[in-house]
Amino acid sequence: MGKLALAAKITHVPSMYLSELPGPNNGCRKAAIDGHKEIGRRCRELGVDTIVVFDTHWLVNSAYHINCGEWFEGIYTSNELPHFIKDLRFAYPGNPQLGRRIAEFAVERGVRAQAHNIPSLELEYGTLVPMRYMNEDQHFKVISIAAWCNAHELEDSKRFGEAVKDAIDAYDGTVAVLASGSLSHTFIPDRIALGNMNNYTREFDRQVDMHVVELWQQGRFKEFCAMLPDYASCCNGEGKMHDTAMLLGLLGWDSYDQPVEIITDLFPSSGTGQINAVFPV
Ligand SMILES: [Fe+2]
């Protein structure tokens, strides 16, 4: 009988990488990096062997996809923000066995899921950024799941999340699951991008994000699940917030009622709303 040991919604902003480098942005994302390190520390303490990441930077246009290669290694430059993430070296073990089981359980639940063990199928930075801070020593196996689901229903992502839980229950080991994506995600318009790396684009987004964090802290997921489709669309949620639907599917959807623990306070990054928050299991 496997165990889900930790679940979290996390940031992966590329300015975390900039924050490491000398220059004007040095240290700007220390709180986010510290949050990732703390989540990594807890995973070790809980005996986690595999981290599953719902990655809102992996865009898919059809079906649900699981990248469960045996080994991931390379030098990554973001094609979306090459001035933020450049030449990031990575190497992590994978877990093809658990990835395949997730796909099987998802198909059983009527979700068109596929598991892939293809050496040339690369990881996106929604997975690479958190792994950089949580898994530097390759302690954890990694599975990356596409969560920018462009032509999909949140309802199906919820069911996919349920299938992830099925697979973890049937797995002989201990697993953590991370929903890697923002809260609101109205990217700063390019003409005013300089000087606004630490601001929201819209006050509306900031207000709704603050309210959402309050709902989470109070365990009010009946209300949050009811507003999720409108929140994702009105506040331009990253990846249409399929990562969040998967996470809540895993945790019991609107019957989940645990007060969330904020590891890194809500912060703005290039117009968007970001957080590290542990959802008690
Ligand atoms: Fe992102």
Side-chain angles (χ1 to χ4, degrees), residues 27 77 80 87 98 108 126 143 168 178 193 198 220 238 243 249:
T77 296
E80 169 215 338
D87 290 338
L98 178 60
E108 265 179 38
I143 293 174
I168 293 170
L178 308 176
N198 299 310
R220 291 161 61 186
E238 188 168 27
D243 65 321

Side-chain angles (χ1 to χ4, degrees), residues 39-56:
I39 290 169
R41 188 194 66 74
R42 291 188 191 191
C43 286
R44 277 175 180 72
E45 198 173 84
L46 292 162
V48 166
D49 63 76
T50 300
I51 297 182
V52 175
V53 185
F54 302 145
D55 186 335
T56 52

Side-chain angles (χ1 to χ4, degrees), residues 19 33 130 169 197 274:
S19 175
I33 292 171
D169 288 345
M197 205 173 82
Q274 304 289 334

Side-chain angles (χ1 to χ4, degrees), residues 219-279:
R220 291 161 61 186
F221 286 95
K222 194 171 265 323
E223 289 152 89
F224 178 72
C225 288
M227 72 176 274
L228 177 57
D230 291 327
Y231 179 41
S233 99
C234 295
C235 294
N236 303 306
E238 188 168 27
K240 302 185 178 181
M241 298 201 86
H242 283 273
D243 65 321
T244 306
M246 291 173 184
L247 180 72
L248 283 164
L250 173 96
L251 294 169
W253 198 243
D254 62 356
S255 65
Y256 181 71
D257 62 357
Q258 298 300 302
V260 159
E261 180 191 355
I262 307 302
I263 305 291
T264 305
D265 284 336
L266 180 66
F267 67 95
S269 183
S270 298
T272 69
Q274 304 289 334
I275 201 164
N276 286 318
V278 166
F279 286 54

Side-chain angles (χ1 to χ4, degrees), residues 11 27 30 32 47 56 62 72 92 98 172 200 202 226 243 245 257 263:
T11 184
K30 184 177 183 305
T56 52
S62 180
F72 305 105
Y92 305 111
L98 178 60
D172 183 21
Y200 269 93
R202 306 189 305 180
D243 65 321
D257 62 357
I263 305 291

Side-chain angles (χ1 to χ4, degrees), residues 15-16 19 25-37 264:
S15 45
M16 292 167 77
S19 175
N25 299 307
N26 183 259
C28 71
R29 294 288 178 258
K30 184 177 183 305
I33 292 171
D34 289 349
H36 278 194
K37 288 182 175 166
T264 305

Side-chain angles (χ1 to χ4, degrees), residues 12 57 125 185 238:
H12 57 235
H57 278 260
Y125 79 71
H185 199 260
E238 188 168 27

Side-chain angles (χ1 to χ4, degrees), residues 34 62 74 80 104 150 156 158 175 211 238:
D34 289 349
S62 180
E80 169 215 338
E104 286 163 10
N150 196 42
D156 290 340
K158 169 197 164 195
V175 180
H211 179 67
E238 188 168 27

